[in-house]
Amino acid sequence: MSAEEVVLAATLAYHRASEEEARFVPGQTPVLTGGAVFDADDRVALVQAALNLKIVAGAHTREFESGIARKLGLRKALMVNSGSSANLVAISSLTSPALGDRALQPGDEVITAAAGFPTTVNPTIQNGLVPVFVDVELGTYNATPEAIEAAIGPRTKAIALAHTLGNPFDAAAIARIARDHNLWLVEDNCDGFGSTLNGRLTGTFGDVSTLSFYPAHHITTGEGGACATSNLRLARVMESMRDWGRDCWCEPAKDNTCFKRFEWQMGTLPAGYDHKYTYTHIGYNLKSTDLNAALGVTQLGKLDRFAEARRRNWQLLRDGLEGVPGLVLPVATEGSDPAWFGFLLTLDPSLPFSRNDLVRYLDDRKIATRLLFGGNLLRQPAYRDVEHRVSGSLANSDLITERTFWLGTHPRLTEEMIDYVTSSIRTFMKASVRVAA
């Protein structure tokens, strides 16, 4: 055996020796909102990439990008270093002069949901664009097509929405609205990889979609994300913005892919200026590494299994909490089959206790909870002075800020853990309502 084979065999043996899971002890074992699942293939792939010192984007990255594109049925996927960076690249690319009269200009509007994760919205602000906030509906926690259409104004040029905790927004209807009004649609699919709407995967309805591979997500590369599109002009712009803004498309440590490295003339640069250092966009270095991508390749093959586990766990939570007075339970968007990122609960305002009362009780019992990210983002200090427009009421987004939280649905959860979670909530609800009465 070669030295590499010896190390990989030892890695496999180590994994098998350490894969036994500890027994769940209610009240002692944490029940987390997220948890990555790794098997022997993941560990071996990561060690093999490390042994070969594949530390910059290379062959594993290309394989992972191709796998994502094939999974989504799109022409191009680009790996980046996070889902937030994916959103930054996707929205920034829409400002490129390469898009001609469809390029977004400072002051143009982008419609988005008020309640959600900041980095769905931040690239809009950072590019000098104006976010237009709409409310979401309780139950699905997504903006409706009606709310989106009502928000369109003379300067509206794009829509950027996330599939809330994996529950698809009505992407088919909203994509039609975007086409009818000549708007770009950015589909933040970071929480929804593996979800479907009318049998079609989310992430395939927009002009561009984004993914996150942070450990809490459906598959993980540690840190990482991706942009995906079938618009090759847009893909070329995104690649440039991901890679410092340069015009050159050579991979790291490669030269002269275009076969005319010293024959270009762009801007007012001297003729023959090195194409590797010619910049056509205001870009960044947002690439990931081959170590991350090697893990992504093995994780991607398990996406469907992980998604089914999330669906099962979500249904167990819903069944366990069905009929509890005062709880607004989540519902799937009509025609969808979500690969749930989490299980959302909203407490009716009439209940005699606060959200903090319940989540602190759960925390004491080692049951982790999370809020619906930033809630109504306009109530966050970071957005106090941001130029924006509001379309309609944000009453539900305010209620979410005050009364909503979510529980985990990830594949590492067991039925015993979920029974413990639902029985804990039922016990608290019953005792609190009785005391108030």
Side-chain angles (χ1 to χ4, degrees):
M1 290 173 49
S2 67
E4 180 180 286
E5 288 171 333
V6 170
V7 173
L8 296 181
T11 301
L12 182 59
Y14 173 83
H15 181 87
R16 289 171 176 166
S18 62
E19 65 181 349
E20 182 178 351
E21 292 191 12
R23 183 174 64 90
F24 173 64
V25 180
Q28 296 182 28
T29 306
V31 181
L32 303 176
T33 54
V37 178
F38 300 114
D39 62 16
D41 290 341
D42 298 315
R43 195 183 296 270
V44 169
L46 194 55
V47 170
Q48 186 173 32
L51 288 174
N52 294 327
L53 289 177
K54 301 296 187 182
I55 57 174
V56 297
H60 291 304
T61 301
R62 292 193 300 274
E63 183 181 1
F64 187 41
E65 289 174 336
S66 296
I68 295 166
R70 283 196 303 273
K71 181 66 178 177
L72 293 173
L74 300 177
R75 298 181 71 182
K76 189 75 172 178
L78 295 167
M79 189 180 186
V80 294
N81 59 10
S82 72
S84 297
S85 292
N87 285 337
L88 177 62
V89 168
I91 293 176
S92 297
S93 70
L94 300 181
T95 69
S96 170
L99 302 178
D101 60 7
R102 291 205 68 195
L104 273 57
Q105 304 294 330
D108 285 345
E109 293 181 342
V110 180
I111 299 172
T112 192
F117 199 75
T119 56
T120 304
V121 178
N122 291 351
T124 294
I125 299 165
Q126 290 162 339
N127 278 285
L129 308 169
V130 178
V132 178
F133 292 102
V134 300
D135 209 0
V136 299
E137 61 179 359
L138 296 181
T140 68
Y141 299 91
N142 283 311
T144 64
E146 294 76 16
I148 297 297
E149 190 149 36
I152 296 173
R155 293 217 63 175
T156 304
K157 297 295 177 63
I159 303 164
L161 291 174
H163 299 291
T164 305
L165 290 200
N167 193 18
F169 61 81
D170 191 345
I174 291 174
R176 285 195 296 272
I177 291 169
R179 287 193 299 271
D180 290 346
H181 294 272
N182 198 32
L183 309 178
W184 296 101
L185 175 57
V186 178
E187 195 180 347
D188 182 334
N189 197 33
C190 291
D191 289 352
F193 199 18
S195 296
T196 64
L197 179 67
N198 301 325
R200 179 176 168 183
L201 283 168
T202 55
T204 65
F205 293 86
D207 295 286
V208 58
S209 64
T210 60
L211 292 166
S212 173
F213 308 125
Y214 190 71
H217 286 275
H218 294 70
I219 63 170
T220 186
T221 60
E223 298 284 358
C227 303
T229 186
S230 284
N231 184 324
L232 294 184
R233 177 179 292 183
L234 198 57
R236 179 69 190 94
V237 173
M238 290 193 294
E239 184 176 28
S240 173
M241 288 192 166
R242 179 196 66 178
D243 298 0
W244 301 279
R246 65 181 186 172
D247 195 69
C248 173
W249 56 89
C250 290
E251 294 183 1
K254 300 289 185 181
D255 294 333
N256 206 25
T257 304
C258 64
F259 297 108
K260 55 176 188 176
R261 175 180 173 186
F262 300 109
E263 299 173 29
W264 293 86
Q265 202 286 312
M266 293 185 170
T268 59
L269 293 170
Y273 196 87
D274 191 346
H275 194 226
K276 287 182 72 71
Y277 294 99
T278 300
Y279 302 92
T280 46
H281 293 96
I282 306 299
Y284 316 86
N285 178 5
L286 298 175
K287 299 190 304 299
S288 190
T289 74
D290 246 29
L291 287 169
N292 298 92
L295 181 56
V297 169
T298 56
Q299 284 271 299
L300 185 59
K302 296 182 272 284
L303 173 63
D304 292 343
R305 174 159 56 88
F306 291 164
E308 282 307 309
R310 288 176 174 276
R311 293 181 177 106
R312 179 189 65 243
N313 292 339
W314 185 91
Q315 193 61 54
L316 287 171
L317 284 163
R318 204 179 196 291
D319 291 345
L321 295 173
E322 189 72 51
V324 177
L327 286 184
V328 179
L329 300 182
V331 295
T333 299
E334 185 177 355
S336 74
D337 189 13
W340 296 96
F341 184 67
F343 186 90
L344 275 160
L345 286 169
T346 297
L347 303 177
D348 190 281
S350 65
L351 289 170
F353 55 86
S354 71
R355 177 183 58 199
N356 279 358
D357 292 331
L358 176 52
V359 299
R360 284 176 176 170
Y361 170 82
L362 295 175
D363 189 62
D364 287 342
R365 295 173 69 81
K366 302 296 184 183
I367 298 169
T369 63
R370 296 289 185 268
L371 304 186
L372 186 48
F373 309 125
N376 181 352
L377 292 176
L378 289 174
R379 297 177 62 177
Q380 293 278 353
Y383 300 86
R384 185 179 297 115
D385 299 318
V386 165
E387 182 182 359
H388 68 278
R389 181 164 66 84
V390 174
S391 176
S393 166
L394 299 182
N396 287 340
S397 297
D398 283 330
L399 181 62
I400 287 166
T401 307
E402 304 284 347
R403 306 289 285 181
T404 299
F405 68 98
W406 58 273
L407 305 160
T409 59
H410 60 90
R412 289 173 57 185
L413 295 173
T414 65
E415 190 167 349
E416 184 181 12
M417 290 176 176
I418 293 172
D419 286 343
Y420 173 65
V421 171
T422 57
S423 64
S424 295
I425 293 174
R426 283 180 170 272
T427 297
F428 176 88
M429 298 284 288
K430 185 176 181 180
S432 298
V433 171
R434 184 174 60 245
V435 167

